[in-house]
Amino acid sequence: MRRRRTKLDRQPKDQALNGRVDDLDRRVTQLEARLRVALPLVRAEQAKAGAKAQRPARARPRCPGCTLELPKGRRGEACVWCGFRFDAVRGLLR
């Protein structure tokens, strides 16, 4: 016959879990406090460095066959990585 679990059997597990939850809660609170202090400093540095707004880089064209970025320079008739023929999908690549 199986032994029934009682509340006494669960108490050590519940205490251990409660201790871990309390520890995680304390650590999250500390991280939030650090973030509140550091965030204005980071924003100030970004404002200094980003005085001249930079345009985001244009996405490099990718091969429709292997989805790898194509190297800089003149594009040939086929992908340098997988050999996919670009004329098979005319107009997809710029």
Side-chain angles (χ1 to χ4, degrees), residues 19-92:
R20 289 179 69 185
V21 168
D22 291 340
D23 183 48
L24 285 173
D25 188 37
R26 180 184 50 78
R27 290 169 57 191
V28 167
T29 305
Q30 287 175 347
L31 287 172
E32 287 173 344
R34 286 183 193 168
L35 184 61
R36 269 187 240 109
V37 170
L39 194 57
L41 299 174
V42 170
R43 286 185 179 158
E45 286 179 17
Q46 287 176 346
K48 285 180 186 177
K52 181 182 176 186
Q54 294 180 355
R55 288 187 353 202
R58 200 167 103 184
R60 301 276 313 266
R62 292 182 173 269
C63 170
C66 62
T67 66
L68 292 173
E69 287 183 355
L70 297 172
K72 289 183 179 181
R74 187 165 182 246
R75 188 175 70 233
E77 295 177 4
C79 176
V80 296
W81 308 116
C82 69
F84 183 85
R85 303 284 305 178
F86 296 128
D87 55 359
V89 288
R90 189 163 301 188
L92 268 177

